[in-house]
Amino acid sequence: MTWPSSLPFELALERARVLDQGALTMLYRRFMPVVYRFVLARVSGVQVAEDVTSETFLAVVTGIRGMRATDELTFAAWVLGIARNKVATHFRRQSTQPATRPWLPEDDQPITVADEGDPLAIITARESWAEVVAALNQLTEEQRAVVLYRCVLGYATDDVARLLDRQANAIRALQFRGLASLARHLNAAASVTSPGGKQHTVRNVRKAREEGGNGDAT
Amino acid sequence: MQPEDRLDALLSLRVHGASQPDEASSAHALNGYHGGNEDLQPLLDANDRLSALRIAEPSTDFADQLEALFLATAASMENDDGAEWTSQPHDAGWLPVREAPPLIGNDDPTLPGIPWRRMDSEATETDATPLRRLPIGSLRQTTWRRLLWSAVAAALLVAIGATTLTAAAAAGPGTPLYGLHRWEQNVQVSMASDPAARTQLHLSYAQDALAALNVAITRHQTDSTYDDALATFRDEMNAALSNLHAVSTGNGRDTLEARVAQLRTQGSSDLHTALASLPWPKRVATTIVLYNLGNMTLTVTHADLVYSSGGQHLWTITVTGSGFQSGAVLLINGQPAGTVTSVSPGALVAQLPGDDSSPSPGTIGVGNPDDTASVTSSITNHEAGDDSSGAQQTPGAQTTPTTDDHGGSGSDNSGSGSGSSDTSAATPTPSDGQP
């Protein structure tokens, strides 16, 4: 959702504090996808991501009257801070660190714009998502936050610096190390072959296509 | 340009399309590097792998349900607070109008496994929002929150307790927290290591009580403030003497004995000074403490009442005891009454007009000119011409000043068994201490 240029964000925050439904709706529609992507990058499935996103927004509405954000960025920091805490709570409930799940059930895949494309694109996106989530969980907390804010949520470097209360140079350094670490983990995951079972791979799909199949490779 | 900066600029190009001016300029500066960024290629590839997350979208169903729940929760909070509806008019046109959630009772089927938030008759349309598994998990009271509230409650109790004890530590006689203050003092005494330390503490508390008593007299606070201070002084002096007996010789006993003697002298002096400012009942209590401190005071042992009905309606009261001074007055129920006809060190005779309808006095006593006073509840009634065998005496009477109040129990002397010709109910008694 694009924030209307005619609406000062500060005014929306002011009205949201008194539980104005219109302002709350706008804030929700603006930040729900952001929070969803942030959570989805951390947890192991769509269902869990929806759960955590739901908990996050209930916490947002519960605490919005005491929220002290004055602009969009500080509000984003507040909301994403809540989301981060909810993710941590989710992992504590599991009593373990998030386990790496290279493959996910069919019905637990995220919906992307690639779903409207051909099967190859769908499977590619799903593979990439599962591996990336697992690799992201291997990063340090700071690296992961910078990579998520910068590369997934699309915030500018200076904004990330404000969100995390760090210097821009430190954000660039964290970003560099985080992506390097992410590349290492992704390469390591790619080197692991999946000899059998119902696992879709790009290679299998391409092979099926070349053989004239419908792409339903196994 | 450092690799971190080059990477940042390249990411700006890929993620944002260099939408920001400074980033765009940085990207243009990278033109010369485009052929030499192979070292960053794995990192850029990793960034590209994040595209699956960048384009992820929540399902429309989930987004709509969560939005409805989000707004319903806000409305519920507003209603719970009793706040007025604060929604602004949408005349500006920039605030979108949310579609109303489904009304209760509509015919739309509920998805399996989706409970409704509230189904009672008082539910509003916002309560009709279906709760999938999401809100149920959200509404659940998490363990950490319960622990947090427990910790907050415990901290609050500790704070209140600490504040109360702190306030009690400074509470003086006559204040509501003085009882707690005394309890703290007793705890401190019980924690003392030996009799000498306990004696020291008792003497210290007695000293404080005597100081508070003097302040009360100065401020004319002869009510509960004086009573508390006097009682504390009496109890602490008695406790100090008891513990002093357990202190072995040479263990600072001489010093403690000297301090006890000094405090006894000071207390006697201060109490004698205080007597003149006190009403008669408090003089009686103070005289008892003076007696316990070793002072020679008057004592009243018995009172004998003779009623003369031969046209005079006059009571003749003979009080026996010791230490009566010339100019002493008769006390009926703690108040001066009657006319003293004779005083000797061991007896006081007074006359009191009255009839036989007045109730029996609870106590009869004597007040000396030096403001000391003593009372007794040992009273016998006679009618003129009776002999002593017909005397009516109050049982359990107290005749000697002790640590107890003179006006103790058993004050009603109108019991049965009177040897007089009248019945006990008709036994003539002096008026209620009023002259």
Side-chain angles (χ1 to χ4, degrees):
Chain A
M1 177 185 177
T2 302
W3 195 258
S5 58
S6 59
L7 170 63
F9 194 88
E10 294 75 11
L11 180 58
L13 286 181
E14 187 179 335
R15 292 190 178 184
R17 282 194 189 93
V18 294
L19 303 177
D20 180 277
Q21 297 269 310
L24 289 172
T25 302
M26 293 201 71
L27 291 176
Y28 171 83
R29 291 179 181 174
R30 166 69 181 86
F31 284 96
M32 203 281 275
V34 175
V35 171
Y36 177 76
R37 289 178 193 132
F38 176 85
V39 174
L40 191 62
R42 297 298 320 281
V43 299
S44 55
V46 171
Q47 303 291 325
V48 177
E50 290 180 353
D51 277 347
V52 176
T53 302
S54 208
E55 292 175 0
T56 300
F57 274 95
L58 285 179
V60 165
V61 74
T62 302
I64 199 164
R65 286 184 291 194
M67 175 264 305
R68 289 176 291 182
T70 55
D71 55 24
E72 182 169 0
L73 202 59
T74 52
F75 181 75
W78 181 65
V79 173
L80 290 173
I82 293 174
R84 186 170 63 246
N85 290 336
K86 294 300 179 185
V87 170
T89 302
H90 162 71
F91 286 138
R92 276 199 297 270
R93 280 190 207 134
Q94 289 187 329
S95 301
T96 58
Q97 290 300 313
T100 299
R101 292 177 57 189
W103 305 103
L104 297 170
E106 283 289 327
D107 59 351
D108 207 17
Q109 303 284 356
I111 301 172
T112 69
V113 294
D115 288 345
E116 298 176 358
D118 63 23
L120 176 61
I122 295 173
I123 294 168
T124 301
R126 288 175 176 175
E127 282 179 348
S128 179
W129 178 69
E131 291 176 357
V132 167
V133 169
L136 279 171
N137 283 329
Q138 305 291 323
L139 304 184
T140 67
E141 184 68 31
E142 285 187 322
Q143 291 173 357
R144 183 166 50 237
V146 170
V147 168
L148 287 178
Y149 288 175
R150 184 87 172 92
C151 303
V152 175
L153 303 184
Y155 285 105
T157 305
D158 290 341
D159 290 344
V160 177
R162 282 189 62 196
L163 281 168
L164 299 178
D165 196 22
R166 302 289 296 267
Q167 297 292 326
N169 287 336
I171 296 299
R172 292 190 188 95
L174 283 167
Q175 175 180 256
F176 185 88
R177 293 197 297 271
L179 282 176
S181 180
L182 186 67
R184 278 199 308 276
H185 292 303
L186 287 172
N187 288 336
S191 65
V192 177
T193 59
S194 53
K198 187 182 180 181
Q199 291 178 342
H200 302 275
T201 66
V202 177
R203 186 172 59 248
N204 289 340
V205 173
R206 283 183 179 146
K207 182 179 177 182
R209 275 188 170 177
E210 290 169 359
E211 293 172 354
N214 57 4
D216 190 17
T218 58
Chain B
M1 183 178 280
Q2 296 295 318
E4 292 87 350
D5 297 332
R6 283 191 286 127
L7 175 67
D8 191 55
L10 291 170
L11 287 177
S12 296
L13 274 177
R14 294 183 179 223
V15 176
H16 307 288
S19 57
Q20 299 188 12
D22 56 336
E23 293 175 345
S25 61
S26 300
H28 287 303
L30 283 172
N31 286 338
Y33 292 92
H34 272 202
N37 285 329
E38 290 80 7
D39 57 329
L40 299 179
Q41 194 55 48
L43 281 63
L44 295 172
D45 290 343
N47 169 68
D48 290 341
R49 296 289 298 276
L50 297 173
S51 61
L53 289 169
R54 274 200 295 271
I55 59 179
E57 292 286 346
S59 70
T60 306
D61 182 42
F62 163 72
D64 291 344
Q65 289 185 2
L66 181 56
E67 180 180 345
L69 175 68
F70 180 72
L71 297 175
T73 304
S76 173
M77 288 169 55
E78 197 170 32
N79 292 336
D80 290 345
D81 292 348
E84 293 182 359
W85 183 253
T86 54
S87 179
Q88 301 295 323
H90 300 287
D91 51 359
W94 50 263
L95 288 178
V97 178
R98 181 176 65 88
E99 291 183 4
L103 294 170
I104 284 180
N106 64 31
D107 294 326
D108 292 338
T110 304
L111 293 177
I114 302 178
W116 293 89
R117 187 175 182 208
R118 192 192 300 174
M119 295 302 290
D120 57 353
S121 58
E122 297 177 356
T124 62
E125 63 180 18
T126 53
D127 293 323
T129 304
L131 298 179
R132 279 174 59 192
R133 51 194 164 65
L134 318 171
I136 291 175
S138 301
L139 295 174
R140 186 177 55 238
Q141 188 77 359
T142 55
T143 303
W144 70 266
R145 182 166 295 182
R146 287 196 297 271
L147 291 175
L148 177 64
W149 281 114
S150 301
V152 168
L156 195 60
L157 286 175
V158 169
I160 292 173
T163 304
T164 305
L165 289 177
T166 304
T175 59
L177 289 177
Y178 188 65
L180 191 57
H181 174 73
R182 292 287 293 144
W183 176 80
E184 285 179 346
Q185 289 181 332
N186 290 331
V187 169
Q188 289 177 358
V189 168
S190 65
M191 293 172 66
S193 57
D194 53 63
R198 285 193 287 274
T199 304
Q200 192 81 16
L201 279 174
H202 284 305
L203 289 174
S204 175
Y205 299 154
Q207 181 78 54
D208 293 343
L210 188 60
L213 185 145
N214 288 328
V215 170
I217 290 297
T218 303
R219 297 178 179 174
H220 306 288
Q221 295 172 329
T222 56
D223 48 5
S224 60
T225 303
Y226 179 85
D227 293 341
D228 285 347
L230 182 66
T232 301
F233 177 73
R234 177 196 64 202
D235 294 344
E236 293 298 332
M237 285 299 291
N238 289 335
L241 289 171
S242 298
N243 280 277
L244 184 60
H245 294 316
V247 178
S248 58
T249 306
N251 190 19
R253 176 167 180 152
D254 293 342
T255 304
L256 290 174
E257 285 179 340
R259 192 174 172 202
V260 168
Q262 182 268 333
L263 194 54
R264 181 181 287 167
T265 303
Q266 181 185 351
S268 298
S269 174
D270 290 349
L271 291 179
H272 269 299
T273 304
L275 282 170
S277 304
L278 298 173
W280 281 106
K282 296 189 186 296
R283 292 182 190 180
V284 174
T286 304
T287 301
I288 295 172
V289 177
L290 283 169
Y291 177 84
N292 291 338
L293 289 174
N295 294 273
M296 293 299 295
T297 63
L298 78 166
T299 57
V300 174
T301 57
H302 184 70
D304 190 69
L305 282 67
V306 178
Y307 179 67
S308 174
S309 59
Q312 296 185 5
H313 300 288
L314 196 65
W315 286 90
T316 300
I317 303 172
T318 303
V319 183
T320 55
S322 64
F324 300 162
Q325 298 172 353
S326 176
V329 297
L330 174 71
L331 301 177
I332 302 293
N333 289 331
Q335 298 296 331
T339 303
V340 176
T341 57
S342 67
V343 178
S344 67
L348 179 144
V349 180
Q351 289 184 328
L352 183 69
D355 54 42
D356 55 359
S357 61
S358 300
S360 301
T363 61
I364 292 177
V366 174
N368 270 345
D370 65 355
D371 297 322
T372 56
S374 180
V375 297
T376 183
S377 56
S378 174
I379 303 171
T380 56
N381 291 335
H382 297 273
E383 193 163 345
D386 283 354
D387 56 15
S388 58
S389 62
Q392 179 183 23
Q393 183 165 350
T394 302
Q398 182 178 344
T399 58
T400 303
T402 63
T403 55
D404 296 330
D405 197 338
H406 280 202
S409 61
S411 60
D412 185 4
N413 64 345
S414 60
S416 62
S418 171
S420 65
S421 57
D422 298 329
T423 63
S424 59
T427 300
T429 57
S431 60
D432 192 18
Q434 301 301 325

